[in-house]
């Protein structure tokens, strides 16, 4: 697993420096001028040792725009409102290709909610059925706030209008009203770890995963202590929850140790994203900051762990959403793409092959309102199945034209209507003319549902 950088942060208690071997900013504990002065003295005394530990290059494993511009950042600006709209839109679209099949309807799980209508691909039609039944039974609402296809088991996770999170037909955080959730998984031959974290309506973070088991008859849902006034959370690896607060500040917490690390030199943050060992912050003004971080306090990030794209993305502007390779092997960073407010993309890729794939998708998709990334075989330029490997997911534009895996949306149901059957939800679709006879159906445009 790649390692996270732990940066030197001013304003930490001396006892925290002794226990952790690194500096951490905890503004709530600095209540007097005497405490601030003591912490500053301690930082000065240990700065040389810490610099030796992390190295000059690792300490610089971050990119950000001119700090003078931070004062002008406002969540009430037109740019910030466009970003918030993009966040809300993209919370309603998700696609995952689990099998690497060249057939559009094979192992391709795609979901999209438009009002009270829930769209699904053939393989995700069971997720539509499960949620529609919950609505019909009066347990969930027809309005969906957020949805995701889990990359591990391809189940659907839904956040309804009442703040309930449904994982399949199980409620994840009973007793809590959730406003946003995020999940992460890691799988290999010996173990898997799937973490789901949610933000509650009072600004706390609850999570399901490593220390919480569904086999316990009366499980205690963990809370990340010290995380307050949270707006969004991003699961970062197997034990770290990164979060942005309502005031635009950011931090990350270790669910094993309970330690909260402030990113004190970041401000005006609208949303956080993870790619490889890097945390990316989208600021209110549409620019980006990024930092390589290590989950291991004893093994800070090294200079050769710093991702190749940090300098490139620091120059991007007018970004409203970030998409990355959804491959959870954090030893690889294949690409990062930014969705601009006009629906176009800018991207950076690890090599020429990845750049060519980006050009066929992000380079040709226009007026995009929602986008999700996966691994697949869809060529977006022709929107046909090709021999070449294309792994950029799908998108829907402002005119409801479908790209990539979004073209597999061939089932739909208005959740305000009592659920009937999967067959009843099947849409009239075109037949894909392709060398692959079993490709079944596809749509060029999102169908209307009565």
């Amino acid at each position: 697993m790649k390692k996270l950088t732990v940066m030197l942060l001013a304003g930490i208690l001396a006892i925290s420096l002794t226990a952790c071997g690194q500096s951490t900013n905890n503004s709530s504990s600095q209540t007097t001028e005497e405490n601030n002065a003591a912490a500053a003295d301690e930082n000065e005394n240990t700065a040389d040792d810490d610099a030796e530990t992390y190295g000059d290059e690792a300490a610089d494993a971050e990119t950000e725009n001119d700090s003078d511009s931070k004062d002008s950042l406002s969540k009430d600006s037109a740019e910030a409102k466009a970003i918030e709209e993009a966040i809300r839109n993209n919370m309603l679209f998700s696609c995952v290709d689990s099998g690497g099949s060249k057939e559009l309807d094979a192992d391709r799980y795609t979901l999209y909610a438009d009002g009270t209508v829930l769209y699904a691909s053939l393989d995700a039609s069971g997720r539509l059925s499960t949620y529609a039944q919950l609505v019909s039974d009066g347990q969930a609402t027809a309005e969906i706030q957020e949805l995701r296809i889990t990359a591990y088991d391809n189940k659907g996770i839904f956040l309804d209008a009442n703040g309930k999170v449904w994982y399949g037909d199980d409620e994840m955080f009973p007793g809590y009203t959730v406003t946003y959730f995020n999940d992460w998984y890691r799988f290999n031959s010996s173990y898997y770890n799937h973490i789901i974290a949610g933000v509650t309506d009072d600004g706390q973070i609850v999570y399901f995963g490593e220390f919480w088991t569904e086999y316990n008859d009366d499980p205690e849902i963990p809370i990340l202590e010290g995380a307050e006034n949270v707006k969004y959370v991003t699961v970062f690896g197997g034990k770290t929850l990164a979060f942005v607060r309502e005031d635009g500040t950011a931090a990350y917490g270790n669910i094993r140790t309970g330690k909260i690390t402030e990113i004190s030199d970041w401000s005006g943050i609208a949303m956080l994203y993870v790619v490889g060992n890097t945390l990316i912050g989208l600021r209110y003004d549409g620019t980006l900051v990024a930092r390589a971080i290590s989950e291991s306090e004893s093994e800070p990030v090294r200079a050769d762990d710093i991702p190749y794209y940090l300098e490139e993305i620091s120059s991007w502007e007018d970004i409203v959403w970030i998409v990355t390779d959804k491959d959870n092997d954090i030893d690889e960073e294949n690409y990062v793409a930014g969705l601009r407010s006009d629906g176009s993309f800018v991207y950076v890729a690890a090599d020429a092959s990845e750049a060519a794939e980006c050009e066929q998708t992000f380079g040709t998709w226009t007026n995009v309102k929602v986008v999700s990334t996966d691994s697949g075989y869809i060529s977006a330029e022709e929107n046909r199945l090709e021999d070449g490997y294309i792994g950029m997911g799908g998108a829907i534009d402002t005119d409801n034209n479908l790209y990539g895996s979004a073209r597999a949306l061939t089932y739909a149901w208005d959740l305000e209507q009592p659920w009937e059957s999967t067959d009843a939800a099947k849409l009239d679709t075109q037949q894909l003319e392709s060398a692959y006879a079993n490709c079944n159906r596809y749509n060029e445009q999102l169908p209307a549902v009565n």
Side-chain angles (χ1 to χ4, degrees):
M1 182 178 291
K2 283 199 174 179
K3 303 177 175 69
L4 299 171
T5 263
V6 180
M7 308 300 292
L8 301 178
L9 304 172
I12 180 70
L13 289 175
I15 188 173
S16 296
L17 287 166
T18 303
C20 300
Q22 62 188 48
S23 55
T24 308
N25 180 13
N26 188 337
S27 59
S28 63
S29 65
Q30 308 296 319
T31 57
T32 68
E33 292 183 3
E34 290 77 9
N35 281 344
N36 286 331
D41 289 340
E42 186 67 23
N43 281 335
E44 183 177 355
N45 292 334
T46 60
D48 292 339
D49 291 339
D50 284 337
E52 256 183 25
T53 301
Y54 303 125
D56 292 338
E57 290 182 281
D60 291 333
E62 177 177 3
T63 65
E64 60 182 88
N65 294 290
D66 188 344
S67 59
D68 292 340
S69 67
K70 292 181 180 180
D71 295 337
S72 64
L73 298 177
S74 170
K75 63 181 179 180
D76 296 322
S77 66
E79 294 87 350
K81 290 178 180 179
I83 290 170
E84 187 63 27
E85 181 181 4
I87 291 170
R88 293 296 168 182
N89 286 341
N90 280 278
M91 286 166 58
L92 299 173
F93 179 57
S94 180
C95 59
V96 170
D97 166 24
S98 66
S101 172
K102 293 183 179 181
E103 297 177 7
L104 183 56
D105 277 345
D107 300 314
R108 195 170 300 280
Y109 299 82
T110 307
L111 290 172
Y112 175 60
D114 183 18
T116 60
V117 177
L118 179 58
Y119 291 87
S121 63
L122 173 63
D123 281 307
S125 61
R127 286 69 183 157
L128 183 158
S129 173
T130 298
Y131 188 78
Q133 191 63 60
L134 287 170
V135 176
S136 289
D137 293 343
Q139 298 184 69
T141 65
E143 298 82 11
I144 296 171
Q145 294 190 69
E146 184 182 2
L147 59 81
R148 287 173 71 94
I149 293 287
T150 62
Y152 168 65
D153 54 10
N154 304 314
K155 283 188 177 181
I157 311 179
F158 296 88
L159 172 60
D160 71 16
N162 289 334
K164 294 182 177 181
V165 178
W166 299 95
Y167 182 27
D169 56 4
D170 295 320
E171 185 180 354
M172 292 301 302
F173 304 115
Y176 291 94
T177 300
V178 175
T179 59
Y180 181 80
F181 71 85
N182 187 258
D183 79 316
W184 177 94
Y185 90 102
R186 180 71 183 261
F187 175 81
N188 62 28
S189 59
S190 61
Y191 78 99
Y192 81 92
N193 188 9
H194 185 199
I195 296 177
I196 303 172
V199 178
T200 65
D201 59 348
D202 59 356
Q204 298 187 88
I205 296 176
V206 291
Y207 61 91
F208 162 91
E210 193 171 24
F211 302 123
W212 194 93
T213 171
E214 61 184 328
Y215 303 109
N216 190 330
D217 292 335
D218 186 24
E220 180 181 354
I221 300 173
I223 296 175
L224 183 62
E225 299 293 342
E228 300 176 346
N229 301 316
V230 176
K231 186 171 185 179
Y232 296 117
V233 63
T234 298
V235 184
F236 194 132
K239 56 186 179 183
T240 303
L241 305 180
F243 55 92
V244 58
R245 300 184 182 92
E246 291 284 351
D247 64 1
T249 58
Y252 55 93
N254 187 306
I255 64 176
R256 292 183 182 176
T257 66
K259 178 183 176 183
I260 302 294
T261 300
E262 296 290 334
I263 310 178
S264 61
D265 49 354
W266 284 15
S267 64
I269 303 298
M271 176 56 88
L272 296 172
Y273 306 86
V274 172
V275 54
N277 71 336
T278 305
L279 189 63
I280 299 175
L282 172 59
R283 305 170 80 199
Y284 294 144
D285 63 356
T287 61
L288 301 174
V289 288
R291 173 175 290 174
I293 303 176
S294 173
E295 284 197 287
S296 174
E297 295 176 1
S298 63
E299 298 181 37
V301 70
R302 300 168 303 187
D304 57 359
D305 291 329
I306 300 172
Y308 70 93
Y309 50 77
L310 291 193
E311 183 176 356
E312 173 72 17
I313 68 174
S314 69
S315 66
W316 293 356
E317 298 179 344
D318 195 30
I319 304 300
V320 296
W321 185 253
I322 290 292
V323 287
T324 67
D325 193 335
K326 196 177 280 187
D327 185 350
N328 279 276
D329 181 356
I330 63 171
D331 293 330
E332 298 181 5
E333 302 114 355
N334 293 329
Y335 64 83
V336 179
L339 175 64
R340 295 190 181 106
S341 63
D342 64 358
S344 64
F345 290 90
V346 60
Y347 59 84
V348 59
D351 53 41
S353 175
E354 291 291 337
E357 293 177 2
C358 286
E359 179 57 32
Q360 292 184 66
T361 50
F362 304 130
T364 61
W365 296 347
T366 58
N367 299 318
V368 169
K369 65 178 178 180
V370 295
V371 59
S372 181
T373 55
D374 66 0
S375 298
Y377 286 90
I378 297 181
S379 169
E381 184 174 11
E382 299 297 333
N383 292 301
R384 297 290 179 131
L385 303 182
E386 304 284 356
D387 289 330
Y389 180 85
I390 302 296
M392 304 301 170
I396 303 175
D397 70 15
T398 54
D399 294 322
N400 284 332
N401 294 311
L402 307 178
Y403 303 95
S405 293
R407 304 197 74 191
L409 293 171
T410 53
Y411 290 76
W413 194 259
D414 187 341
L415 297 173
E416 291 187 324
Q417 304 301 317
W419 174 247
E420 296 179 15
S421 67
T422 302
D423 285 342
K426 187 182 299 184
L427 297 168
D428 292 332
T429 57
Q430 303 177 50
Q431 183 67 31
L432 178 63
E433 296 177 3
S434 170
Y436 304 99
N438 296 322
C439 288
N440 294 324
R441 299 165 304 280
Y442 78 106
N443 278 316
E444 293 183 354
Q445 193 170 48
L446 193 70
V449 176
N450 296 326

